[in-house]
Amino acid sequence: MARKIIIDTDPGQDDAVAILLALASPEIEVLGVVAVAGNVPLALTEVNARKVVELSGRRDVPVFAGCDRPLARALVTAEHVHGKTGLDGIELPAPDLPLQAQHGVDFIIGTLRREAAGTVTLVAIGPLTNIAEAFRRAPDIVARVERIVLMGGAYFEVGNITPAAEFNIFVDPEAAAAVFGAGVPLTVMPLDVTHKALTDRSWIEAMRALPGRCGPAVAGWTDFFERFDTAKYGSLGAPLHDPCTIAWLLQPELFSGREINVEIETEGRWTTGMTVADWWRVSGRASNALFLKDVDRDGLFALLLERIARLP
Ligand code: BDR
Ligand code: CA
């Protein structure tokens, strides 16, 4: 039976690739896509989410809008990485696919109450606002979540939006603290992994050469996304952060890490949004997350190519 997931996202080119990977994979049933404010404001992320779902040809997958700002702070966005629209790199038509009327947080709550306990996984690839808000409003759903698989945080790589913090956690550290403290099984895909998931020219060109429309779209997004990271890090390609979460669901053997304690800094003078990851197990605190560190990069990119090739 396919694994049921809800994708909580702020597309974002790498979010878009993650959504396509999930929709291309029969092992996964996407119950819905919920947009959150993050890379760009909600008014853009919800449109981008609908564009991506429509591009995949899966008009049966509902798209919702969730929270338009972090729980307790002003929104920080990342147009400097993702461009003005959040999804710069290719032109896509305004989506025809309607936005669902229900609020995204209510969709998360309703789905977890409706589906059998322990059968729905939340895949969070943006700030954790929607999930924290759902847990706050409906504490009964927390124990019903099978697992949360999230892209966020860093330990050895430390920060990307500040010297100490990764973007998704930094944008809403209060939400992250609530999620990491909720007691739900957590898989964390930090920058330590995703900075090893770098695209290269031959993979981008193989994507571009795919016969459908999705492969060339991925190539266009990656070309755009790449320019920021190559200029910043001097690396050869762009890190495909968010697709690593879906890839872990499909082929966990591509990744390795440790069950450790991870706490979120919400009050640091310089370190707000830091994931304080007890990699060396020195704190004595109980583990609350599978914190990944390494990836079989070639295996990941082979999986992506093979799956995106299945899409129209
Ligand atoms: C994360 O932040 C966003 O810019 C990306 O989409 C990814 O989810 C990487 O820090
Ligand atoms: Ca994202």
Side-chain angles (χ1 to χ4, degrees):
M1 217 173 58
R3 185 163 182 166
K4 294 178 180 176
I5 71 168
I6 295 172
I7 302 180
D8 196 275
T9 176
D10 61 339
Q13 293 87 351
D14 61 324
D15 300 72
V17 180
I19 294 168
L20 292 182
L21 177 62
L23 294 176
S25 298
E27 304 93 324
I28 288 175
E29 180 185 354
V30 182
L31 301 176
V33 174
V34 183
V36 67
N39 286 323
V40 285
L42 182 69
L44 291 168
T45 58
E46 67 86 351
V47 172
N48 292 344
R50 288 187 289 136
K51 284 181 176 174
V52 175
V53 172
E54 193 161 279
L55 184 76
S56 77
R58 291 290 307 280
R59 297 180 54 89
D60 56 304
V61 175
V63 178
F64 301 82
C67 298
D68 66 356
R69 71 195 67 176
L71 296 183
R73 296 171 192 257
L75 178 65
V76 174
T77 53
E79 286 87 355
H80 60 295
V81 183
H82 298 274
K84 237 172 114 134
T85 66
L87 210 50
D88 284 18
I90 56 162
E91 281 291 321
L92 286 173
D96 199 31
L97 186 74
L99 181 68
Q100 299 292 311
Q102 189 181 30
H103 192 282
V105 169
D106 293 325
F107 169 73
I108 293 171
I109 294 170
T111 304
L112 283 161
R113 284 181 176 158
R114 188 186 63 240
E115 299 288 337
T119 64
V120 177
T121 290
L122 304 176
V123 177
I125 52 179
L128 290 159
T129 318
N130 289 337
I131 295 175
E133 181 60 13
F135 286 1
R136 191 189 66 78
R137 280 199 224 161
D140 58 291
I141 65 171
V142 175
R144 302 179 70 84
V145 178
E146 181 177 12
R147 176 169 285 271
I148 297 173
V149 183
L150 68 92
M151 190 281 136
Y155 177 65
F156 296 96
E157 286 281 305
V158 201
N160 60 357
I161 186 74
T162 73
E166 181 279 331
F167 180 78
N168 289 340
I169 306 295
F170 178 78
V171 171
D172 199 341
E174 284 73 23
V179 168
F180 277 72
V184 175
L186 273 186
T187 299
V188 179
M189 199 61 77
L191 296 178
D192 307 301
V193 173
T194 67
H195 279 176
K196 294 169 189 142
L198 298 178
T199 55
D200 66 21
R201 261 301 113 197
S202 67
W203 181 87
I204 295 176
E205 294 316 323
M207 272 289 170
R208 203 185 316 278
L210 290 177
R213 55 181 187 258
C214 289
V218 170
W221 289 324
T222 313
D223 277 341
F224 180 86
F225 197 42
E226 198 180 65
R227 92 219 179 292
F228 173 78
D229 285 276
T230 49
K232 179 175 173 189
Y233 296 109
S235 52
L236 291 177
L240 287 190
H241 306 282
D242 294 339
C244 291
T245 56
I246 303 293
W248 182 82
L249 288 173
L250 295 170
Q251 292 186 10
E253 65 279 6
L254 292 175
F255 300 89
S256 60
R258 291 184 181 179
E259 293 280 351
I260 58 168
N261 176 269
V262 182
E263 303 293 337
I264 308 296
E265 179 57 81
T266 57
E267 292 168 12
R269 179 172 172 209
W270 304 107
T271 55
T272 297
M274 186 172 191
T275 42
V276 181
D278 188 7
W279 183 260
W280 301 111
R281 300 194 179 109
V282 294
S283 70
R285 292 189 288 265
S287 63
N288 60 350
L290 172 60
F291 193 87
L292 297 166
K293 179 169 177 281
D294 285 302
V295 58
D296 169 357
R297 185 255 167 223
D298 292 348
L300 170 71
F301 281 88
L303 173 68
L304 276 161
L305 189 61
E306 185 260 318
R307 293 304 167 97
I308 302 298
R310 300 182 186 192
L311 291 172

